[in-house]
């Protein structure tokens, strides 16, 4: 008896608002990024260019998030039975890689500047980086106020990008002040390296979490031992085995398991047990479960679950 549960009502309205916020943020950030790139070349400031690099990563992150929402809406078909929701994870991976590539380029350029720091037009650099800070503050406030940054990983990662970009703007302001007042031209490449390390760190974190999902890893926030124990405590459940838990996208967790019940119970009783387990799973944020009800006569021994229960790192796989 296989059964699937779905509970995605109310998601669409949130998605539409999230998409609107992403569109506005993308237009503002991409426009200002162009200003920073031009200003970076005119003033000769690497800190401005590294901040523009960070803004480019923001624009990419926002663009990828937007595309992921659009693709996620595409219906599933016989080629893609889960639909295109995983596109979000692939775009996030791509985004993480771009962050690291940008960081590497800036660090290489900064290292070459240490031996001979070029003259930087610090006043122009200061004006542009203050504007950059204001743009980031407005976008961060706008995203925090109008979108779902708590629940949706796609939105949250875009928001975190904007926040880390704020640091980049502050860095460029500090570098400009150091050059303006103390003629510390070395501040420009130094701060660029600092900003680049922040960019690279964001990139590594994004790659790490996306690879975990792509490798069918179990959601980190769900305590599997506790969940299995709670399922076993449901009245009528004798055992549980072939338990698999994995993530489709940042907000969609899937579970499949074989639930052993008394072979003498009626289909109606088994249905009630299944509904109780599904209700329990929803508290864990698992809205799609495939539960196979079976009796002990299937010949699965009692030790199967004990072994699995002790070994907390069960690998999850997709059927």
């Amino acid at each position: 008896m296989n059964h699937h549960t779905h509970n995605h009502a109310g998601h669409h309205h949130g998605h539409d608002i999230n998409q609107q916020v992403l569109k506005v943020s993308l237009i503002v950030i991409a426009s200002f990024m162009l200003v920073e790139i031009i200003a970076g070349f005119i003033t000769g400031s690497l800190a401005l260019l590294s901040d523009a690099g960070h803004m480019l990563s923001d624009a990419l992150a926002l663009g990828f998030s937007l595309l992921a929402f659009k693709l996620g809406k595409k219906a599933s078909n016989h080629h893609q039975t889960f639909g295109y929701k995983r596109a979000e994870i692939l775009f996030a991976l791509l985004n993480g890689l771009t962050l690291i590539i940008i960081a590497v380029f800036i660090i290489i350029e900064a290292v070459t500047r240490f031996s001979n720091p070029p003259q930087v037009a610090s006043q122009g650099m200061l004006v542009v980086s203050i504007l950059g800070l204001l743009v980031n503050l407005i976008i961060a406030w706008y995203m925090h106020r109008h979108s779902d940054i708590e629940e949706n990983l796609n939105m949250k990662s875009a928001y975190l990008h904007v926040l880390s970009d704020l640091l980049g703007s502050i860095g460029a302001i500090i570098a400009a002040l150091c050059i303006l007042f103390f003629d510390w031209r070395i501040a420009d490449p130094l701060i660029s390296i600092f900003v680049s390390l922040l960019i690279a760190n964001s990139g590594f974190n994004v790659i790490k979490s996306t690879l975990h999902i792509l490798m069918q890893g179990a959601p980190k926030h769900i305590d599997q031992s506790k969940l299995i124990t709670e399922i076993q405590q449901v009245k009528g459940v004798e055992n549980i085995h072939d338990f698999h838990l994995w993530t489709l996208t940042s907000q969609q967790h899937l579970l499949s398991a074989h639930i052993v019940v008394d072979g003498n119970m009626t289909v109606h009783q088994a249905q009630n047990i299944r509904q109780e387990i599904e209700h329990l799973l929803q508290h864990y944020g698992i809205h799609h479960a495939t539960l196979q009800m079976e009796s002990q006569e299937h010949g699965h021994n009692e030790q199967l679950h004990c072994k699995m229960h002790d070994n907390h790192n069960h690998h999850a796989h997709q059927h």
Side-chain angles (χ1 to χ4, degrees):
M1 287 186 277
N2 284 337
H3 189 66
H4 301 275
T5 68
H6 295 276
N7 182 3
H8 297 302
H11 267 320
H12 289 298
H13 179 61
H15 275 191
D16 292 340
I17 296 170
N18 285 338
Q19 283 187 52
Q20 188 55 41
V21 170
L22 284 173
K23 271 181 201 163
V24 174
S25 307
L26 178 61
I27 292 164
V28 176
I29 282 182
S31 311
F32 194 77
M33 176 194 78
L34 293 173
V35 172
E36 274 199 325
I37 291 172
I38 295 162
F41 280 114
I42 293 172
T43 60
S45 162
L46 186 63
L48 266 189
L49 284 173
S50 67
D51 196 41
H54 210 160
M55 280 207 150
L56 171 63
S57 74
D58 279 355
L60 285 171
L62 295 170
F64 285 158
S65 297
L66 201 54
L67 203 54
F69 276 131
K70 289 207 183 303
L71 276 172
K73 278 184 167 174
K74 281 183 73 172
S76 52
N77 54 43
H78 64 282
H79 291 301
Q80 297 287 341
T81 56
F82 277 117
Y84 292 84
K85 292 187 171 65
R86 261 239 165 130
E88 172 196 325
I89 307 301
L90 292 174
F91 283 132
L93 180 64
L94 199 59
N95 186 9
L97 290 170
T98 25
L99 283 175
I100 289 171
I101 292 165
I102 289 167
V104 168
F105 274 115
I106 295 167
I107 290 170
I108 291 168
E109 174 62 20
V111 169
T112 59
R113 283 192 175 201
F114 273 123
S115 50
N116 185 19
Q119 195 63 48
V120 174
S122 48
Q123 282 164 316
M125 174 184 170
L126 185 61
V127 171
V128 177
S129 40
I130 288 172
L131 282 174
L133 181 64
L134 290 173
V135 167
N136 281 310
L137 279 170
I138 292 164
I139 292 294
W141 171 83
Y142 177 63
M143 289 178 89
H144 192 273
R145 181 80 191 272
H146 297 287
S147 69
D148 180 15
I149 55 168
E150 292 305 315
E151 291 295 311
N152 190 303
L153 204 94
N154 203 357
M155 282 306 294
K156 191 178 184 176
S157 63
Y159 176 69
L160 287 175
H161 262 280
V162 176
L163 282 191
S164 59
D165 203 16
L166 264 170
L167 292 172
S169 300
I170 293 168
I173 290 170
I174 294 168
L177 292 173
C178 288
I179 297 166
L180 199 57
F181 291 107
F182 308 106
D183 198 30
W184 287 349
R185 283 191 270 167
I186 199 109
D188 188 51
L190 254 182
I191 285 173
S192 308
I193 287 180
F194 174 70
V195 174
S196 300
L197 292 175
L198 288 178
I199 298 175
N201 185 48
S202 314
F204 277 121
N205 288 337
V206 169
I207 289 171
K208 210 169 98 180
S209 50
T210 52
L211 286 179
H212 180 74
I213 291 174
L214 291 173
M215 291 299 292
Q216 307 285 57
K220 290 189 171 74
H221 65 281
I222 294 177
D223 182 342
Q224 291 183 50
S225 298
K226 185 168 169 254
L227 176 57
I228 290 170
T229 306
E230 283 186 29
I231 293 173
Q232 283 192 309
Q233 283 167 355
V234 170
K235 196 169 183 302
V237 173
E238 292 186 353
N239 201 355
I240 170 173
H241 62 90
D242 286 341
F243 176 93
H244 297 292
L245 175 62
W246 71 101
T247 301
L248 181 65
T249 71
S250 58
Q251 280 184 297
Q252 212 175 336
H253 310 301
L254 286 77
L255 179 142
S256 72
H258 288 224
I259 310 291
V260 180
V261 294
D262 182 358
N264 297 320
M265 69 170 54
T266 64
V267 172
H268 181 65
Q269 287 171 314
Q271 287 280 40
N272 287 344
I273 291 173
R274 185 192 355 255
Q275 279 168 359
E276 200 177 328
I277 294 172
E278 285 166 357
H279 185 67
L280 168 73
L281 293 176
Q282 289 188 3
H283 287 299
Y284 282 85
I286 302 164
H287 299 293
H288 184 118
T290 306
L291 302 172
Q292 182 159 324
M293 313 299 279
E294 60 188 34
S295 62
Q296 195 67 55
E297 284 77 79
H298 267 63
H300 291 287
N301 62 24
E302 289 287 333
Q303 296 168 321
L304 232 167
H305 172 254
C306 298
K307 273 194 300 195
M308 202 187 75
H309 199 66
D310 296 337
N311 171 19
H312 192 52
N313 311 325
H314 1 297
H315 65 292
H317 79 275
Q318 202 166 345
H319 287 298

